[in-house]
């Protein structure tokens, strides 16, 4: 008989359902599971105890969601770096539990009455980093990173139809997505870059001048960065700091367009640095160079 390395009592809320995957019952010696909400188990390894604890926490989470009369809640997928709303579907208990364990955005198809994982056909999975519940616990956000376009049309997101455009009888552009200010600016700069390939008439815009003259661009970034620093050195007001930071961002984003770098890539780099110290991050730069 194998030596028992861990005996532990775990306490659960009275309504918690503790469950085991098929065949897992044999891995545990359940000593007592009824006494005052305690589950006392003997396990051959500590990981087994942790596994039971996590599963019980997931069950408690699932019980806290306000599922509708069909056992569903709204599920929204959001890009962790851009903030873009990727898609909306419906989620049931099994879909949410599957997403928690697989880290892939999983929904419930009402038409097929079955679970489906986004990307199971296209391979454009949404890799979930975190899950958020709204204040009423009847709506869920999957915060994640998509492997590719989310919409079945090939668009980055399913939200590309602008009501303003519809009211003005403009044609729907599937490449247009609901953008926040920073990404609208990036799109405009990208459009100016594309326009450089066309015959030019009249005086070029400031953005086009910067795209064409890299020396001018770099000098403006240095100039604007210096002015931003002086808002601290000369104790200028917050409005001035915001204005100068806007100038730095704009000119830096023009440089990014020249280099073919997206703001999403920069935000992803910053996100990955959250869990490491600045010293370690700089050390890793030296190792990869």
């Amino acid at each position: 008989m194998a030596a028992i390395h861990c005996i532990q009592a775990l306490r659960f809320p009275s309504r918690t359902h503790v469950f085991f995957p098929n065949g897992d019952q044999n891995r545990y010696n359940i000593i007592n599971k009824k006494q005052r909400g305690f589950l006392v188990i003997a396990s051959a390894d500590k990981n087994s105890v942790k596994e039971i604890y996590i599963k019980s926490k997931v069950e408690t989470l699932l019980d806290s969601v306000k599922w509708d009369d069909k056992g569903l809640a709204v599920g929204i997928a959001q890009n962790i770096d851009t903030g873009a709303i990727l898609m909306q579907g419906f989620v049931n208990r099994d879909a949410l539990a599957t997403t928690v364990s697989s880290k892939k955005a999983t929904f419930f198809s009402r038409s097929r009455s079955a679970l489906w994982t986004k990307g199971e056909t296209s391979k454009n999975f949404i890799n979930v980093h975190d899950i958020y519940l709204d204040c009423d616990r009847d709506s869920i956000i999957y915060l994640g990173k998509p492997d590719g376009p989310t919409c079945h049309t090939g668009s980055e997101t399913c939200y590309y139809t602008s009501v303003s455009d519809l009211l003005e009888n403009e044609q729907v552009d599937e490449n247009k997505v609901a953008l926040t200010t920073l990404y609208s600016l990036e799109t405009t700069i990208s459009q100016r870059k594309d326009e450089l390939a066309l015959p030019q008439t009249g005086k070029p815009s400031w953005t086009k001048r910067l795209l064409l003259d890299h020396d001018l661009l770099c000098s403006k970034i240095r100039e604007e960065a210096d002015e931003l620093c002086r808002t601290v050195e000369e104790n200028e007001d917050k409005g001035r700091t915001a204005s100068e930071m806007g100038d730095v961002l704009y000119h830096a984003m023009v440089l990014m367009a020249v280099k073919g770098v997206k703001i999403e890539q920069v935000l992803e780099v910053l996100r990955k640095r959250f869990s490491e110290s600045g010293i370690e991050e700089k050390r890793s730069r030296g190792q990869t160079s």
Side-chain angles (χ1 to χ4, degrees):
M1 179 177 178
I4 294 177
H5 297 293
C6 180
I7 297 178
Q8 185 166 347
L10 301 179
R11 182 163 190 163
F12 304 98
S14 59
R15 296 181 63 187
T16 296
H17 304 285
V18 180
F19 64 95
F20 300 86
N22 290 337
D24 276 7
Q25 294 92 332
N26 296 329
R27 294 167 55 191
Y28 312 101
N29 178 18
I30 302 176
I31 300 174
N32 186 334
K33 61 179 180 179
K34 293 183 178 179
Q35 184 180 5
R36 297 181 182 179
F38 281 93
L39 174 65
V40 183
I41 65 171
S43 170
D45 62 86
K46 293 182 179 180
N47 289 336
S48 299
V49 177
K50 183 178 180 181
E51 183 180 343
I52 295 177
Y53 178 73
I54 292 174
K55 288 175 181 176
S56 73
K57 295 287 285 186
V58 171
E59 282 293 297
T60 301
L61 165 67
L62 296 176
D63 286 339
S64 74
V65 177
K66 293 182 180 178
W67 309 104
D68 67 14
D69 55 0
K70 297 180 180 178
L72 302 175
V74 172
I76 298 167
Q78 183 177 14
N79 189 310
I80 190 172
D81 291 321
T82 69
I85 303 300
L86 301 173
M87 61 167 289
Q88 181 247 300
F90 290 90
V91 176
N92 65 3
R93 289 179 68 99
D94 289 342
L96 182 54
T98 299
T99 301
V100 170
S101 61
S102 70
K103 306 298 182 184
K104 305 288 185 185
T106 303
F107 300 87
F108 179 80
S109 170
R110 294 176 296 172
S111 60
R112 291 179 292 166
S113 295
L115 297 186
W116 67 280
T117 298
K118 173 60 188 170
E120 60 189 11
T121 301
S122 66
K123 304 306 177 185
N124 292 329
F125 296 100
I126 299 174
N127 304 292
V128 176
H129 291 254
D130 205 346
I131 300 171
Y132 282 80
L133 305 176
D134 79 336
C135 56
D136 293 323
R137 298 216 164 201
D138 58 4
S139 180
I140 298 164
I141 288 179
Y142 292 156
L143 192 62
K145 188 73 172 179
D147 285 334
T150 297
C151 187
H152 71 281
T153 65
S155 179
E156 177 184 342
T157 86
C158 294
Y159 294 91
Y160 53 76
T161 303
S162 164
V163 171
S164 297
D165 289 350
L166 290 177
L167 294 177
E168 295 175 7
N169 297 318
E170 293 187 17
Q171 187 175 1
V172 174
D173 179 5
E174 292 184 2
N175 292 318
K176 181 177 183 179
V177 295
L179 298 172
T180 53
T181 301
L182 200 60
Y183 292 94
S184 294
L185 174 59
E186 181 178 60
T187 298
T188 299
I189 293 172
S190 179
Q191 290 172 347
R192 298 294 178 268
K193 182 179 179 181
D194 292 341
E195 290 167 1
L196 292 176
L198 303 174
Q200 302 297 304
T201 59
K203 186 178 180 180
S205 67
W206 177 245
T207 300
K208 289 181 180 178
R209 284 184 59 191
L210 293 171
L211 288 166
L212 290 168
D213 190 338
H214 297 174
D215 289 337
L216 174 63
L217 173 59
C218 291
S219 69
K220 287 301 296 181
I221 292 175
R222 294 186 182 98
E223 175 188 329
E224 300 300 345
D226 179 66
E227 291 181 3
L228 174 64
C229 291
R230 282 197 274 121
T231 66
V232 174
E233 295 167 346
E234 299 176 12
N235 197 28
E236 296 181 309
D237 61 38
K238 294 180 180 179
R240 184 66 177 171
T241 301
S243 177
E244 295 300 341
M245 188 64 215
D247 289 339
V248 171
L249 275 175
Y250 161 70
H251 288 91
M253 289 177 69
V254 174
L255 185 147
M256 288 165 57
V258 169
K259 298 293 293 181
V261 176
K262 296 288 189 180
I263 189 68
E264 181 177 357
Q265 294 173 262
V266 177
L267 295 176
E268 183 176 7
V269 169
L270 292 175
R271 170 170 55 82
K272 290 179 177 179
R273 290 180 183 175
F274 287 166
S275 59
E276 63 179 336
S277 70
I279 295 174
E280 291 298 325
E281 190 277 324
K282 288 184 178 179
R283 184 178 299 152
S284 68
R285 288 193 213 175
Q287 293 172 349
T288 57
S289 61

